[in-house]
Amino acid sequence: MAGHNKRHQVVIVGAGLGGLTAAAFLQRFGIDVHVYEKAPELKEIGAGINLDSNAIRVLLRLGITEEELMEVAVPLKEVWEFRNGNDGRVLYSEPFKKDFGAPHVVIHRGELHSLIKSKVTKDAITVNHGCVNVEQNNDGVQITFENGVTVEADVLIGADGGRSVVRNAVVDSPPKMRFWAAMYRSLVPIDQVPPSERVPNRTAWLGSRHFFMRYPVSGGKLLNIVGAVPRSHWEHNGPIDANVEDFLAEFTGWDENIQAMIGSAQETKLWPLYDMDPLERWSNNRITLLGDAAHLLLPFLGQGAAQAIEDAEVLAGNLKNLTKGTDLTEIFARYEGLRKPRASTVQFMARTIWNFIDPPYINSEVSSIPGDDIFNQYKSLFNMHEWLNGYDLQKDVVS
Ligand SMILES: Cc1cc2nc3c(=O)[nH]c(=O)nc-3n(C[C@H](O)[C@H](O)[C@H](O)COP(=O)(O)OP(=O)(O)OC[C@H]3O[C@@H](n4cnc5c(N)ncnc54)[C@H](O)[C@@H]3O)c2cc1C
């Protein structure tokens, strides 16, 4: 290939949670890897994020110590608590089980991103490089960025999120993005909310067409609050600044503690919630995908980041002995075989949960569903907690 600037064994497009986790593992295995990121700087963006023990075990293997993690994360005592949205009645609570072998935590996305980034050498990340085109032949992959720079690689990993550009070189036609709802997100000082809500657990209030959740982040100093609300379409490009009054109005008549928590917010953003059906494939010749690029999902299981982190360890483990002559078809088939069924199931379960809350038939047959009824449907998915958290990913990588 002519006109290139640099060549690496592996290039990763996207320095998000999945891309940086993959880069950190590949560097540990002595692979020459470089990450290119569209954003002009890697700053701390996002709000709170759930990290269940399936993801924590990966981070510990990456060399992030429990002490480093616990400086910013909050370990959960009750892994889940569900309440009725209208009157705040506790419907269910599930204490943390030690037998998963790692804590469940809640953490600010930016703080998690910084922790993972600290395990990648600085010279392996280049910002301000938005990928616009990808081409490949038997010799390698050529990646072109919007500033005109091109680089080459033996292997390209698309970790560029739900609107992935790299994905266009993998699938025959772009996947249909499905828009389901919108989600308000705010961070509020924990000392300003009712004392009963300052506890280290994640609690979901269930009610008709709406979902409210809160958990502490930033070492317990802030409370992350989110409220999912029905919307039929989204005309913006990404999240927008929104009004706290509108957030509050969506939960009028709900548990008064919800009103108090939203009322303590100074600002809020409204995010579009999209997912997509499982892709026909994740890889094509020298290119593969991970994280949201491969399996964009709704946030109702709190597994978006965890699935990206799992992908990263499995993929890096399979590329560990990468040389010029490595049979990538076999490696990617193994990676997809291990990851696609699990990630597709998580995609489906997260969508199912939103369909319990805002079922497609709601406007035609009924106008609202009581929170207790939503919870009774939700219970049918409870055995998933064992399956999600108890999963021993290392067994898969080793085998
Ligand atoms: C800003 C932000 C905030 C989020 N906040 C939350 C949250 O609070 N709670 C929660 O549960 N989930 C949140 N998510 C979603 C959750 O983080 C994802 O499910 C998870 O991060 C998936 O990891 P990923 O590496 O696949 O994608 P991401 O972490 O989204 O990373 C993708 C990266 O690719 C970069 N990129 C995109 N296109 C290109 C391109 N063409 N060229 C180069 N780089 C590109 C993006 O800038 C981004 O850095 C957030 C995602 C983002 C991007």
Side-chain angles (χ1 to χ4, degrees):
M1 287 179 186
H4 67 270
N5 297 330
K6 289 192 182 126
R7 181 159 183 135
H8 299 281
Q9 274 185 292
V10 177
V11 159
I12 299 176
V13 170
L17 301 175
L20 288 183
T21 305
F25 273 114
L26 287 167
Q27 283 196 329
R28 282 166 74 101
F29 301 148
I31 302 282
D32 161 36
V33 55
H34 201 96
V35 189
Y36 291 91
E37 164 61 42
K38 176 167 80 172
E41 54 179 320
L42 293 184
K43 51 181 192 197
E44 302 206 345
I45 41 177
I49 218 164
N50 289 296
L51 266 195
D52 288 350
S53 48
N54 57 321
I56 304 287
R57 278 196 295 273
V58 178
L59 298 180
L60 296 177
R61 286 198 286 269
L62 193 59
I64 294 172
T65 64
E66 214 160 319
E67 290 70 38
E68 283 175 311
L69 189 65
M70 291 313 173
E71 264 177 40
V72 282
V74 178
L76 295 172
K77 291 209 167 68
E78 301 285 329
V79 177
W80 281 109
E81 182 180 84
F82 291 92
R83 295 193 196 168
N84 177 290
N86 293 104
D87 53 24
R89 246 179 318 115
V90 175
L91 301 171
Y92 175 82
S93 81
E94 182 176 315
F96 168 66
K97 280 197 213 153
K98 284 207 170 54
D99 47 348
F100 290 134
H104 297 248
V105 305
V106 279
I107 185 168
H108 189 289
R109 181 185 180 275
E111 289 164 345
L112 173 64
H113 191 254
S114 297
L115 272 178
I116 299 173
K117 190 179 68 182
S118 73
K119 302 298 167 194
V120 183
T121 59
K122 276 206 182 77
D123 57 0
I125 306 173
T126 302
V127 294
N128 233 342
H129 278 57
C131 171
V132 287
N133 193 44
V134 168
E135 280 173 32
Q136 62 177 326
N137 59 28
N138 286 340
D139 182 44
V141 193
Q142 189 174 59
I143 304 114
T144 306
F145 300 97
E146 56 195 345
N147 55 13
V149 172
T150 59
V151 296
E152 288 188 6
D154 297 339
V155 170
L156 170 63
I157 300 174
D160 49 344
R163 302 267 167 198
S164 172
V165 169
V166 175
R167 190 168 59 215
N168 298 334
V170 172
V171 292
D172 297 334
S173 51
K176 186 171 175 299
M177 310 283 278
R178 288 173 183 252
F179 174 74
W180 292 95
M183 185 176 256
Y184 286 97
R185 287 184 163 140
S186 295
L187 291 169
V188 300
I190 207 153
D191 54 10
Q192 288 179 22
V193 305
S196 60
E197 307 304 340
R198 298 177 197 168
V199 284
N201 64 14
R202 59 182 173 206
T203 299
W205 280 256
L206 301 173
S208 192
R209 310 196 71 192
H210 291 67
F211 170 96
F212 183 89
M213 178 177 259
R214 63 107 177 90
Y215 51 78
V217 294
S218 297
K221 291 193 280 295
L222 297 172
L223 191 70
N224 184 69
I225 58 172
V226 305
V229 298
R231 290 285 183 278
S232 58
H233 61 281
W234 189 260
E235 65 271 19
H236 313 280
N237 187 16
I240 55 165
D241 290 331
N243 291 323
V244 174
E245 293 73 31
D246 293 339
F247 186 179
L248 203 52
E250 289 281 356
F251 290 88
T252 305
W254 283 52
D255 181 5
E256 58 190 27
N257 278 5
I258 293 183
Q259 306 277 322
M261 285 184 276
I262 301 175
S264 328
Q266 293 296 317
E267 53 186 21
T268 190
K269 274 190 188 299
L270 189 61
W271 294 66
L273 300 185
Y274 290 96
D275 72 358
M276 61 190 190
D277 291 338
L279 299 177
E280 74 252 35
R281 68 181 89 88
W282 287 11
S283 315
N284 175 13
N285 196 4
R286 295 178 169 275
I287 307 172
T288 194
L289 304 172
L290 65 72
D292 283 358
H295 47 73
L296 181 65
L297 47 83
L298 294 175
F300 299 106
L301 275 175
Q303 278 283 326
Q307 291 305 305
I309 288 169
E310 285 189 359
D311 289 346
E313 186 178 23
V314 176
L315 179 58
N318 279 291
L319 286 170
K320 197 173 180 168
N321 301 315
L322 180 69
T323 62
K324 206 72 184 116
T326 302
D327 180 354
L328 290 170
T329 315
E330 194 187 310
I331 286 188
F332 291 157
R334 196 172 335 131
Y335 164 59
E336 270 185 50
L338 291 170
R339 295 299 308 152
K340 197 159 174 263
R342 179 166 163 91
S344 306
T345 305
V346 177
Q347 268 178 307
F348 173 74
M349 288 198 298
R351 185 186 286 180
T352 303
I353 291 170
W354 183 248
N355 282 336
F356 291 156
I357 297 165
D358 188 25
Y361 59 78
I362 194 155
N363 289 321
S364 54
E365 293 174 26
V366 287
S367 57
S368 71
I369 308 180
D372 289 34
D373 290 1
I374 296 171
F375 175 69
N376 284 334
Q377 297 192 68
Y378 208 138
K379 266 198 311 205
S380 64
L381 295 179
F382 270 11
N383 53 6
M384 73 190 168
H385 292 167
E386 203 81 26
W387 175 80
L388 274 172
N389 297 304
Y391 173 51
D392 183 0
L393 181 148
Q394 216 183 14
K395 226 171 42 199
D396 280 349
V397 182
V398 172
S399 67

Coordinates of all heavy atoms in Angstrom, one line a residue, residues 11 54 64 82 93 97 117 133 150 171 175 186 213 219 232 239 252 261 264 270 300-302 305 332 346 369 399:
V11 N -4.1 -1.7 15.1 CA -4.6 -0.4 15.3 C -6.0 -0.5 15.9 O -6.8 -1.4 15.5 CB -4.6 0.4 14.0 CG1 -5.6 1.6 14.1 CG2 -3.2 1.0 13.7
N54 N -18.3 -9.3 36.9 CA -17.8 -9.9 35.7 C -16.8 -9.0 35.0 O -15.8 -9.4 34.5 CB -18.9 -10.3 34.7 CG -19.8 -9.2 34.3 OD1 -20.2 -8.3 35.1 ND2 -20.2 -9.1 33.0
I64 N -5.2 -3.2 37.5 CA -5.8 -2.2 38.3 C -6.0 -2.8 39.7 O -6.7 -3.9 39.8 CB -7.1 -1.7 37.7 CG1 -6.9 -1.0 36.4 CG2 -7.9 -0.8 38.7 CD1 -8.1 -0.6 35.6
F82 N -35.5 -3.0 44.2 CA -36.5 -2.5 43.4 C -37.6 -1.9 44.2 O -38.0 -2.5 45.3 CB -37.1 -3.6 42.5 CG -36.2 -4.1 41.4 CD1 -35.3 -5.2 41.7 CD2 -36.1 -3.5 40.2 CE1 -34.4 -5.6 40.7 CE2 -35.2 -3.9 39.2 CZ -34.4 -5.0 39.5
S93 N -35.0 -6.9 47.4 CA -33.6 -6.4 47.5 C -32.7 -7.7 47.5 O -33.1 -8.7 48.1 CB -33.4 -5.5 48.7 OG -33.3 -6.3 49.8
K97 N -23.4 -10.9 46.9 CA -22.9 -12.3 47.2 C -21.4 -12.4 47.0 O -20.9 -12.1 45.9 CB -23.6 -13.3 46.2 CG -25.0 -13.7 46.5 CD -25.3 -14.9 45.7 CE -26.8 -14.9 45.3 NZ -27.0 -15.7 44.1
K117 N -7.0 4.1 31.3 CA -6.0 4.8 30.5 C -4.7 4.7 31.1 O -3.6 4.7 30.4 CB -6.5 6.2 30.3 CG -5.7 7.0 29.3 CD -6.3 8.5 29.2 CE -6.0 9.3 30.4 NZ -6.6 10.6 30.4
N133 N -12.3 6.3 6.8 CA -12.4 5.3 5.8 C -11.4 4.2 6.2 O -10.4 4.4 6.8 CB -12.0 5.8 4.4 CG -12.3 4.9 3.3 OD1 -13.4 4.2 3.3 ND2 -11.4 4.7 2.4
T150 N -3.0 8.8 7.0 CA -3.3 7.4 6.9 C -2.3 6.5 7.6 O -1.1 6.9 7.7 CB -3.3 6.9 5.4 OG1 -2.0 7.1 4.9 CG2 -4.3 7.6 4.6
V171 N -19.7 -5.2 7.9 CA -21.0 -5.8 7.5 C -21.4 -5.3 6.1 O -20.9 -4.3 5.6 CB -22.1 -5.3 8.5 CG1 -21.9 -6.0 9.9 CG2 -22.1 -3.8 8.7
P175 N -26.3 -1.5 10.1 CA -27.5 -2.0 10.9 C -28.5 -0.9 11.2 O -28.1 0.3 11.3 CB -26.8 -2.4 12.2 CG -25.6 -1.6 12.3 CD -25.1 -1.3 10.9
S186 N -28.3 13.0 35.9 CA -27.7 14.1 36.6 C -26.9 13.5 37.8 O -27.1 12.4 38.2 CB -28.8 14.9 37.3 OG -29.6 15.6 36.4
M213 N -33.6 5.5 38.6 CA -32.6 4.8 39.3 C -31.6 5.7 40.0 O -31.3 6.8 39.5 CB -31.8 3.8 38.4 CG -30.7 3.1 39.1 SD -29.9 1.9 38.0 CE -30.6 0.5 38.5
G219 N -16.6 8.0 45.1 CA -16.2 7.7 46.4 C -17.4 8.0 47.4 O -17.2 8.1 48.6
S232 N -41.0 9.1 21.2 CA -41.3 8.4 19.9 C -40.1 8.5 18.9 O -39.9 7.7 18.1 CB -42.6 8.8 19.3 OG -42.5 10.2 19.0
P239 N -26.6 13.4 22.9 CA -27.4 13.9 24.0 C -27.5 15.5 24.0 O -26.7 16.1 23.3 CB -26.5 13.6 25.2 CG -25.1 13.3 24.6 CD -25.3 12.9 23.2
T252 N -43.9 13.5 38.1 CA -44.9 14.0 39.0 C -45.8 12.9 39.5 O -46.2 12.0 38.7 CB -45.8 15.0 38.2 OG1 -45.0 16.0 37.6 CG2 -46.9 15.7 39.0
M261 N -34.8 14.0 45.1 CA -33.5 13.8 44.4 C -33.4 14.6 43.1 O -32.4 15.3 42.9 CB -33.3 12.3 44.1 CG -33.0 11.5 45.4 SD -32.7 9.8 45.1 CE -34.3 9.1 45.0
S264 N -32.8 18.3 43.7 CA -31.4 18.7 44.2 C -30.5 18.9 43.0 O -29.4 19.3 43.2 CB -30.8 17.7 45.1 OG -31.7 17.0 45.9
L270 N -30.2 15.0 28.6 CA -31.1 14.0 28.1 C -30.4 13.2 27.0 O -29.9 13.8 26.0 CB -32.4 14.7 27.6 CG -33.6 13.8 27.2 CD1 -34.1 13.0 28.5 CD2 -34.8 14.6 26.7
F300 N -30.4 -0.9 30.5 CA -31.2 -1.3 31.7 C -30.6 -2.5 32.5 O -31.2 -2.9 33.5 CB -32.6 -1.6 31.2 CG -33.3 -0.4 30.7 CD1 -33.5 -0.2 29.3 CD2 -33.6 0.6 31.6 CE1 -34.0 1.0 28.9 CE2 -34.2 1.8 31.1 CZ -34.4 2.0 29.7
L301 N -29.5 -3.1 32.0 CA -28.9 -4.1 32.8 C -27.5 -3.6 33.3 O -26.8 -4.3 34.0 CB -28.5 -5.3 31.9 CG -29.6 -6.4 31.8 CD1 -29.2 -7.4 30.8 CD2 -29.9 -7.0 33.1
G302 N -27.2 -2.3 33.0 CA -25.9 -1.8 33.4 C -24.7 -2.6 32.9 O -23.7 -2.8 33.6
A305 N -20.7 -1.2 29.5 CA -19.2 -1.1 29.7 C -18.7 -2.5 29.9 O -17.6 -2.9 29.4 CB -18.9 -0.2 30.8
F332 N -10.5 -14.8 14.7 CA -11.8 -14.1 14.8 C -13.0 -15.0 15.0 O -14.0 -14.6 15.6 CB -11.9 -13.1 13.7 CG -10.9 -12.0 13.7 CD1 -10.6 -11.3 12.5 CD2 -10.3 -11.6 14.8 CE1 -9.7 -10.3 12.5 CE2 -9.4 -10.5 14.9 CZ -9.1 -9.9 13.7
V346 N -27.4 -10.4 26.1 CA -27.5 -9.2 27.0 C -28.2 -8.1 26.2 O -29.1 -7.4 26.8 CB -26.1 -8.7 27.4 CG1 -26.2 -7.5 28.2 CG2 -25.3 -9.8 28.2
I369 N -49.3 0.8 33.4 CA -49.1 -0.5 34.0 C -48.5 -0.3 35.4 O -47.6 0.5 35.6 CB -48.0 -1.4 33.3 CG1 -48.4 -1.5 31.8 CG2 -47.9 -2.8 33.9 CD1 -47.4 -2.3 31.0
S399 N -8.8 -21.5 27.1 CA -9.1 -22.6 26.3 C -9.1 -22.2 24.8 O -8.9 -23.0 23.9 CB -10.5 -23.2 26.6 OG -11.5 -22.2 26.2

